Amino acid sequence: MTLPEPGQADSVILRVENLGRSVPGKILVSGATFEVRKGETLAIVGPSGSGKSSLLRLLNRLDEPTTGTVYVDGTDYRQIPPRELRRRIGMVLQRPFLFPGKVAENLQFGPKQRGQNLSPAEIEELLAGVGLSGFESRDVSNLSGGEAQRVSFARALANSPEALLLDEPTSALDEAAKRDVETLIRQIGQEHGIPCVLVTHDVAQAARLAERALVLEGGQIVRSGPVKEALHA
Amino acid sequence: MLKTLFHSQLQLGLAQAGVAALTALLVVMAAARRGIHLEKDLAIAMARGLVQIVAVGSILLLLLRSPSWTSIFLLIAMIIAAGATSARRAKGMPGAFQVSTWSIACGAGSVIALMTALGVIDTPITALVPVGSMLIANAMNTNGLALNRFRSDVLAHVGEIETALALGADGKSSVSPYVQVSFEASLIPAIDSLRSLGIVWIPGLMAGMLLSGARPIYAAIYQFVLLAMIFAASGLTSLISTLLIRARVMSPAEQLILRPGQ
Ligand SMILES: Nc1ncnc2c1ncn2[C@@H]1O[C@H](COP(=O)(O)OP(=O)(O)OP(=O)(O)O)[C@@H](O)[C@H]1O
Ligand SMILES: [Mg+2]
């Protein structure tokens, strides 16, 4: 199952090969082939309905691909139990969908699924990492939109993922909250070395955050490469 | 009044049906004046209901003298029809017909079998079929309510469910809050009829028993017996169907299959 590539084998976290999905009467994504490397942010841009979310959902197998596969650290992801796969490849959506209760309980959710428990110190560290020190016993129902989204980042990070999938994580936020989340995304890549796949319709945001970009149209990758070239071609 | 005009029972029955149908039509006409059009639905439903019940009445007439084991076949046919009817309440749910039919068969079927074995339900076909059909019909309604509620709750919480999956939750536990709510909601009618027995309504069977000469106190106790059996049959059916459907909305790779627009 391991297909090492000379030179950069260590740095490739996800290798996506000919990935596609169609449903009766519609091709959602087809022939997607690309890599995600350690510490980088890869932007996926494209017009509404071009299949960005559909592609992202294939990467943690929330939907089943109808062609191709993804290699996670060299292993075909169909060989990895889905729950373990999703622990390793975290996801943050446009809306945070926090579970009712306290912030700390939300952070515990992922580890609890495997029978583990975060210590108070670990919770504090995760919250400090997203700029929300002291929020552990706050009820999620009275957080601002930006705070809620940062809690959902901390909740995904609590699983110690090897990569993060982000689907329009700032598009429901105002300017100030958006800048906070952008800063956070930069830190996740630079300080933790966790690569991010960032779906965004905002080309300027892609240019601010990503090193490389894929442009999707009609479910197909029409351009890819370093972010400036891919976006301004 | 009608009794003085019609002397044969069949004529009287048809006349009574005519008057009742006319009353229903008046209600529909009142609704039509307010822009709510039920004429077609009601006409079809009434014609269908009348034909069905007359047909069944004729079959019962034929079966009255058949040995009681023939009721098993009648009850099985009713269970399948009930499964098909309540599956329609669950549009787009994978395997709704199988789930409904199995749940009603296990839920209502086992209560009927146990109660017949214990002598709570009489074995002659004239007792077993009407009582059994009552249990099946109520199990059908409960099952329809449970599946309908489960479907709409899951569709309304796709984001929450997939968020849990994306954090590594297993498929079953990520939909179990909606299983529980659907189960509880589906049993509200059965609990309410038990609670209001004799105050809000007196089941038709009691009138029948009194007419056929049973002692009133026994007829009354048997209504309670009947409602308790209905509750047991409905509860068991709903429990089974919500558990079965929970497994159907998830794929083996823990993916939510039931999504909006499908
Ligand atoms: N399960 C499905 N069945 C049928 N069509 C679907 C399904 N899922 C998505 N689609 C369609 O596929 C297309 C791509 O959807 P997708 O959500 O991936 O687009 P997107 O690029 O994320 O768009 P947006 O920027 O608006 O979020 C859309 O036309 C959508 O309606
Ligand atoms: Mg999208």
Side-chain angles (χ1 to χ4, degrees):
Chain A
M1 280 298 105
T2 20
L3 299 171
E5 246 171 64
Q8 42 176 239
D10 300 338
S11 66
V12 175
I13 306 280
L14 298 179
R15 203 169 74 245
V16 178
E17 276 191 14
N18 190 34
L19 196 64
R21 174 171 164 82
S22 31
V23 292
K26 188 162 171 69
I27 297 171
L28 304 177
V29 177
S30 74
T33 299
F34 58 92
E35 286 173 352
V36 181
R37 304 191 192 111
K38 194 162 176 44
E40 78 168 341
T41 295
L42 173 70
I44 300 181
V45 296
S48 182
S50 57
K52 305 182 295 294
S53 301
S54 304
L55 173 57
L56 204 67
R57 295 168 54 85
L58 292 175
L59 299 183
N60 66 347
R61 218 177 157 204
L62 266 187
D63 282 327
E64 192 64 14
T66 46
T67 66
T69 191
V70 177
Y71 294 91
V72 179
D73 246 344
T75 306
D76 185 335
Y77 80 165
R78 291 168 300 186
Q79 313 291 327
I80 304 172
R83 296 176 57 192
E84 189 197 325
L85 172 74
R86 295 181 193 138
R87 190 218 37 95
R88 294 172 58 184
I89 312 293
M91 191 177 214
V92 171
L93 303 172
Q94 183 174 345
R95 279 186 52 203
F97 291 111
L98 299 181
F99 304 117
K102 297 200 166 78
V103 167
E105 290 159 6
N106 272 269
L107 302 201
Q108 292 283 12
F109 186 89
K112 234 166 135 184
Q113 304 305 312
R114 324 184 282 283
Q116 295 173 1
N117 231 316
L118 296 175
S119 69
E122 286 168 315
I123 290 179
E124 177 44 36
E125 193 189 330
L126 283 164
L127 287 175
V130 297
L132 293 177
S133 288
F135 271 60
E136 44 271 68
S137 42
R138 284 277 295 269
D139 194 286
V140 298
S141 58
N142 49 39
L143 297 177
S144 74
E147 288 164 353
Q149 188 61 303
R150 282 184 281 155
V151 170
S152 86
F153 270 87
R155 182 175 64 179
L157 291 169
N159 267 341
S160 318
E162 292 159 40
L164 270 189
L165 311 175
L166 312 174
D167 194 351
E168 313 247 16
T170 64
S171 61
L173 303 178
D174 64 24
E175 275 307 315
K178 181 169 145 181
R179 267 194 303 278
D180 289 345
V181 169
E182 286 191 1
T183 307
L184 177 58
I185 294 171
R186 235 177 255 119
Q187 282 171 1
I188 289 172
Q190 289 166 2
E191 292 171 21
H192 303 271
I194 299 173
C196 292
V197 181
L198 170 71
V199 162
T200 177
H201 62 269
D202 179 351
V203 173
Q205 180 178 64
R208 282 197 295 277
L209 294 178
E211 288 83 40
R212 290 190 306 128
L214 307 177
V215 181
L216 222 56
E217 266 170 37
Q220 283 183 312
I221 299 174
V222 292
R223 277 195 302 284
S224 67
V227 76
K228 299 231 160 48
E229 292 165 33
L231 297 179
H232 302 291
Chain B
M1 193 184 108
L2 287 174
K3 279 192 181 147
T4 56
L5 293 173
F6 298 98
H7 298 293
S8 100
Q9 213 180 27
L10 181 61
Q11 281 177 356
L12 178 64
L14 286 175
Q16 286 169 332
V19 171
L22 212 63
T23 315
L25 272 179
L26 283 176
V27 173
V28 168
M29 277 158 60
R33 288 188 53 146
R34 315 202 55 188
I36 306 165
H37 292 281
L38 302 167
E39 300 91 303
K40 209 176 131 205
D41 279 354
L42 182 80
I44 295 173
M46 282 203 304
R48 205 180 138 166
L50 187 64
V51 169
Q52 279 170 191
I53 194 76
V54 168
V56 169
S58 323
I59 294 173
L60 278 180
L61 196 69
L62 285 176
L63 288 171
L64 272 180
R65 281 170 214 88
S66 346
S68 50
W69 54 262
T70 39
S71 21
I72 291 180
F73 294 101
L74 272 176
L75 291 175
I76 289 175
M78 283 174 174
I79 285 171
I80 294 172
T85 305
S86 65
R88 263 188 259 148
R89 292 269 155 258
K91 270 194 213 99
M93 297 261 270
F97 172 66
Q98 284 106 305
V99 167
S100 303
T101 310
W102 276 117
S103 310
I104 297 170
C106 297
S110 65
V111 171
I112 294 172
L114 181 68
M115 291 300 144
T116 310
L118 291 176
V120 179
I121 304 178
D122 274 347
T123 42
I125 199 162
T126 45
L128 186 49
V129 169
V131 173
S133 77
M134 241 182 270
L135 298 191
I136 293 170
N138 280 280
M140 170 185 84
N141 290 338
T142 307
N143 177 64
L145 286 176
L147 294 189
N148 192 283
R149 177 65 181 261
F150 184 67
R151 175 177 179 276
S152 57
D153 269 16
V154 167
L155 289 179
H157 295 97
V158 168
E160 285 84 350
I161 295 168
E162 292 196 324
T163 296
L165 291 175
L167 287 165
D170 69 299
K172 280 184 182 165
S173 71
S174 63
V175 291
S176 51
Y178 315 109
V179 169
Q180 199 174 339
V181 168
S182 315
F183 174 68
E184 286 166 8
S186 74
L187 284 178
I188 290 174
I191 293 173
D192 280 355
S193 11
L194 204 48
R195 208 202 309 262
S196 63
L197 178 62
I199 297 174
V200 180
W201 70 301
I202 296 177
L205 198 77
M206 181 158 178
M209 287 175 74
L210 290 175
L211 285 176
S212 66
R215 301 243 312 269
I217 193 71
Y218 178 68
I221 290 173
Y222 203 75
Q223 303 318 299
F224 170 80
V225 171
L226 195 65
L227 283 194
M229 288 193 298
I230 285 177
F231 180 80
S234 304
L236 197 54
T237 301
S238 176
L239 195 63
I240 298 170
S241 74
T242 46
L243 288 180
L244 289 179
I245 206 74
R246 177 174 81 162
R248 295 289 187 122
V249 299
M250 286 288 161
S251 75
E254 323 257 2
Q255 295 148 335
L256 183 62
I257 302 173
L258 180 68
R259 318 256 334 274
Q262 287 179 351

Coordinates of all heavy atoms in Angstrom, one line a residue, chain A residues 57 60-64 82-83 86-87 89 91 93 96-97 99 109-110 113 155-156 159, chain B residues 158-160 162-171 173 251-256 259 262:
Chain A
R57 N -15.4 17.0 1.3 CA -16.0 15.9 2.0 C -15.5 14.5 1.6 O -15.7 13.5 2.3 CB -17.6 15.9 1.8 CG -18.2 17.2 2.3 CD -19.7 17.3 1.8 NE -20.4 16.1 2.0 CZ -21.1 15.8 3.2 NH1 -21.0 16.7 4.2 NH2 -21.7 14.7 3.4
N60 N -12.2 13.4 3.9 CA -12.2 12.6 5.2 C -13.3 11.5 5.1 O -13.8 11.0 6.1 CB -12.5 13.6 6.4 CG -13.9 14.2 6.3 OD1 -14.5 14.2 5.3 ND2 -14.3 14.8 7.4
R61 N -13.7 11.3 3.9 CA -14.6 10.2 3.6 C -16.0 10.3 4.3 O -16.6 9.4 4.7 CB -14.0 8.8 4.0 CG -14.4 7.7 3.0 CD -13.7 6.4 3.3 NE -14.4 5.3 2.7 CZ -14.3 4.0 3.2 NH1 -13.6 3.8 4.3 NH2 -15.0 3.1 2.6
L62 N -16.4 11.6 4.4 CA -17.8 11.8 4.8 C -18.8 11.4 3.7 O -19.9 11.1 3.9 CB -18.1 13.3 5.1 CG -17.9 13.8 6.5 CD1 -18.3 15.2 6.7 CD2 -18.6 12.9 7.5
D63 N -18.3 11.5 2.4 CA -19.0 10.9 1.3 C -18.1 9.8 0.7 O -16.8 9.9 0.9 CB -19.3 12.0 0.2 CG -20.5 12.8 0.6 OD1 -21.4 12.3 1.3 OD2 -20.5 14.0 0.3
E64 N -18.6 8.9 0.0 CA -17.9 7.8 -0.6 C -17.4 8.2 -2.0 O -18.2 8.5 -2.8 CB -18.7 6.5 -0.6 CG -18.0 5.3 -0.9 CD -16.9 4.9 0.2 OE1 -17.0 5.5 1.3 OE2 -16.1 4.1 -0.1
P82 N -12.9 4.3 9.3 CA -13.4 5.7 9.1 C -13.3 6.6 10.3 O -12.9 7.8 10.2 CB -14.8 5.5 8.7 CG -14.9 4.2 8.2 CD -13.9 3.4 8.8
R83 N -13.5 6.0 11.5 CA -13.5 6.9 12.7 C -12.0 7.3 13.0 O -11.8 8.5 13.4 CB -14.1 6.2 13.9 CG -15.5 5.9 13.7 CD -16.1 5.1 14.8 NE -15.9 5.8 16.1 CZ -16.1 5.2 17.3 NH1 -16.5 3.9 17.3 NH2 -15.9 5.9 18.4
R86 N -11.0 10.0 10.5 CA -11.6 11.3 10.7 C -10.9 12.0 12.0 O -11.0 13.2 12.1 CB -13.1 11.3 10.9 CG -13.7 10.9 9.5 CD -15.2 10.8 9.6 NE -15.7 10.1 8.4 CZ -16.7 9.2 8.4 NH1 -17.3 8.9 9.5 NH2 -17.0 8.7 7.2
R87 N -10.4 11.2 12.8 CA -9.6 11.7 13.9 C -8.3 12.4 13.3 O -7.9 13.4 13.7 CB -9.3 10.7 15.0 CG -8.6 11.3 16.2 CD -7.5 10.6 16.9 NE -6.5 9.9 16.1 CZ -5.3 10.4 15.8 NH1 -5.0 11.7 16.0 NH2 -4.5 9.6 15.2
I89 N -7.8 13.3 10.1 CA -8.0 14.4 9.2 C -9.2 15.2 9.7 O -10.4 14.8 9.5 CB -8.4 13.8 7.8 CG1 -7.4 12.7 7.3 CG2 -8.5 14.9 6.8 CD1 -6.0 13.2 7.1
M91 N -11.9 18.4 10.5 CA -12.7 19.3 9.6 C -13.4 20.4 10.4 O -13.8 20.2 11.5 CB -13.8 18.4 9.0 CG -14.5 19.1 7.8 SD -15.6 17.9 7.1 CE -15.5 18.4 5.4
L93 N -16.3 23.4 9.6 CA -17.3 23.9 8.6 C -17.6 25.4 8.7 O -17.1 26.0 9.7 CB -18.5 23.1 8.8 CG -18.4 21.5 8.7 CD1 -19.7 20.8 9.0 CD2 -17.9 21.2 7.3
P96 N -20.2 26.6 13.1 CA -19.5 25.8 14.0 C -20.2 24.5 14.6 O -19.6 23.6 15.0 CB -19.1 26.7 15.2 CG -20.0 27.9 15.0 CD -20.4 28.0 13.6
F97 N -21.6 24.5 14.6 CA -22.4 23.4 15.1 C -21.8 22.9 16.5 O -21.4 21.8 16.6 CB -22.4 22.3 14.1 CG -23.2 22.6 12.9 CD1 -22.6 22.7 11.7 CD2 -24.6 22.7 13.0 CE1 -23.4 23.0 10.5 CE2 -25.4 23.0 11.9 CZ -24.7 23.1 10.6
F99 N -21.9 21.6 20.2 CA -22.9 20.7 21.0 C -23.4 21.5 22.2 O -22.5 22.1 22.9 CB -22.2 19.4 21.4 CG -21.7 18.6 20.2 CD1 -20.3 18.4 20.1 CD2 -22.5 18.2 19.1 CE1 -19.8 17.7 19.0 CE2 -22.0 17.6 18.0 CZ -20.6 17.3 18.0
F109 N -15.2 16.2 23.2 CA -16.0 15.3 22.4 C -15.2 14.3 21.6 O -15.5 13.1 21.7 CB -16.9 16.2 21.5 CG -17.9 15.3 20.7 CD1 -19.1 15.0 21.2 CD2 -17.5 14.8 19.4 CE1 -20.0 14.2 20.5 CE2 -18.4 13.9 18.7 CZ -19.6 13.6 19.2
G110 N -14.2 14.8 20.9 CA -13.4 13.9 20.0 C -12.6 12.9 20.9 O -12.8 11.7 20.6
Q113 N -14.7 10.0 22.2 CA -15.1 9.0 21.3 C -14.1 7.8 21.3 O -14.5 6.7 20.9 CB -15.2 9.5 19.9 CG -16.1 10.7 19.7 CD -17.5 10.5 20.2 OE1 -18.1 9.5 19.9 NE2 -18.0 11.4 21.0
R155 N -11.8 22.4 19.1 CA -12.4 21.1 19.2 C -11.8 20.1 18.2 O -11.5 19.0 18.5 CB -13.9 21.2 19.0 CG -14.7 19.9 19.1 CD -16.2 20.2 19.0 NE -16.5 20.7 17.7 CZ -17.8 21.0 17.3 NH1 -18.8 20.9 18.2 NH2 -18.0 21.5 16.1
A156 N -11.6 20.6 16.9 CA -10.9 19.8 15.9 C -9.5 19.5 16.3 O -9.0 18.4 16.1 CB -11.0 20.5 14.6
N159 N -8.3 16.6 18.8 CA -8.1 15.3 18.2 C -6.7 15.0 17.8 O -6.4 14.0 17.2 CB -9.0 15.0 17.1 CG -10.3 14.3 17.5 OD1 -10.4 13.8 18.6 ND2 -11.4 14.4 16.6
Chain B
V158 N -28.5 17.7 10.0 CA -27.4 17.1 9.2 C -26.1 17.7 9.6 O -25.1 17.0 9.8 CB -27.6 17.3 7.7 CG1 -26.4 17.0 6.9 CG2 -28.8 16.4 7.2
G159 N -26.1 19.0 9.9 CA -24.8 19.7 10.3 C -24.3 19.1 11.6 O -23.1 18.8 11.7
E160 N -25.1 19.0 12.6 CA -24.7 18.4 13.9 C -24.2 17.0 13.7 O -23.2 16.6 14.3 CB -25.9 18.4 14.9 CG -26.2 19.8 15.5 CD -27.1 20.6 14.6 OE1 -27.4 20.2 13.4 OE2 -27.6 21.7 15.0
E162 N -23.1 15.4 11.1 CA -21.8 15.2 10.3 C -20.7 15.9 11.1 O -19.5 15.4 11.0 CB -22.0 15.8 8.9 CG -22.9 15.0 8.1 CD -22.9 15.2 6.6 OE1 -22.7 16.4 6.2 OE2 -23.0 14.2 5.9
T163 N -20.9 16.9 11.9 CA -19.9 17.4 12.8 C -19.4 16.3 13.7 O -18.2 16.1 13.9 CB -20.4 18.6 13.5 OG1 -20.7 19.6 12.6 CG2 -19.4 19.2 14.5
A164 N -20.4 15.6 14.3 CA -20.0 14.5 15.2 C -19.2 13.4 14.5 O -18.1 13.0 15.0 CB -21.2 13.9 15.9
L165 N -19.6 13.1 13.3 CA -18.9 12.1 12.5 C -17.5 12.5 12.2 O -16.5 11.8 12.3 CB -19.6 11.8 11.2 CG -21.0 11.0 11.3 CD1 -21.6 10.9 9.9 CD2 -20.8 9.6 11.9
A166 N -17.4 13.8 11.8 CA -16.1 14.4 11.5 C -15.1 14.4 12.6 O -13.9 14.5 12.5 CB -16.2 15.8 10.9
L167 N -15.7 14.4 13.9 CA -14.8 14.3 15.0 C -14.5 12.9 15.5 O -13.9 12.7 16.5 CB -15.5 15.1 16.2 CG -15.5 16.6 16.0 CD1 -16.4 17.3 17.0 CD2 -14.1 17.2 16.2
G168 N -15.0 11.9 14.7 CA -14.7 10.5 15.0 C -15.7 9.8 15.8 O -15.5 8.7 16.3
A169 N -17.0 10.4 15.8 CA -18.1 9.6 16.5 C -18.5 8.5 15.6 O -18.4 8.6 14.4 CB -19.2 10.6 16.8
D170 N -19.1 7.5 16.2 CA -19.6 6.4 15.3 C -21.0 6.8 14.9 O -21.7 7.6 15.5 CB -19.6 5.0 16.1 CG -20.6 5.0 17.2 OD1 -20.5 5.8 18.1 OD2 -21.5 4.2 17.1
G171 N -21.4 6.2 13.7 CA -22.6 6.5 13.1 C -23.9 6.4 14.0 O -24.7 7.3 14.0
S173 N -24.2 6.4 17.3 CA -24.3 7.3 18.4 C -24.6 8.7 17.9 O -25.2 9.5 18.6 CB -23.2 7.3 19.4 OG -22.0 7.8 18.8
S251 N -24.1 4.5 6.3 CA -23.4 3.5 5.5 C -22.4 2.7 6.4 O -22.1 3.1 7.5 CB -22.7 4.2 4.3 OG -21.5 4.7 4.8
P252 N -21.9 1.6 5.8 CA -20.9 0.8 6.6 C -19.7 1.7 6.9 O -19.0 1.5 8.0 CB -20.5 -0.3 5.7 CG -21.6 -0.4 4.7 CD -22.2 0.9 4.6
A253 N -19.4 2.7 6.1 CA -18.2 3.6 6.4 C -18.6 4.8 7.2 O -18.0 5.8 7.2 CB -17.5 4.0 5.1
E254 N -19.7 4.6 8.0 CA -20.1 5.7 8.9 C -20.3 7.0 8.2 O -19.8 8.1 8.6 CB -19.1 5.9 10.1 CG -18.5 4.7 10.6 CD -19.0 4.2 11.9 OE1 -20.0 4.8 12.4 OE2 -18.5 3.1 12.4
Q255 N -21.1 6.9 7.1 CA -21.5 8.1 6.3 C -23.0 8.3 6.4 O -23.7 7.3 6.4 CB -21.1 8.0 4.9 CG -19.6 7.9 4.6 CD -19.2 7.0 3.4 OE1 -20.0 6.2 3.1 NE2 -18.0 7.3 2.9
L256 N -23.5 9.5 6.6 CA -24.9 9.8 6.7 C -25.5 9.7 5.3 O -25.1 10.4 4.4 CB -25.2 11.2 7.3 CG -26.6 11.5 7.5 CD1 -27.3 10.6 8.4 CD2 -26.8 13.0 7.9
R259 N -29.8 12.5 3.2 CA -29.4 13.9 3.2 C -30.6 14.6 2.5 O -31.3 14.0 1.7 CB -28.1 14.1 2.4 CG -27.1 13.0 2.7 CD -25.9 13.5 3.6 NE -25.7 14.9 3.6 CZ -24.9 15.5 2.7 NH1 -24.3 14.9 1.8 NH2 -24.7 16.8 2.8
Q262 N -32.9 14.3 -1.4 CA -32.8 12.9 -2.0 C -34.0 12.2 -1.8 O -34.9 12.5 -1.0 CB -31.6 12.1 -1.3 CG -30.3 12.7 -1.7 CD -29.1 11.9 -1.1 OE1 -29.3 11.2 -0.2 NE2 -27.9 12.2 -1.5

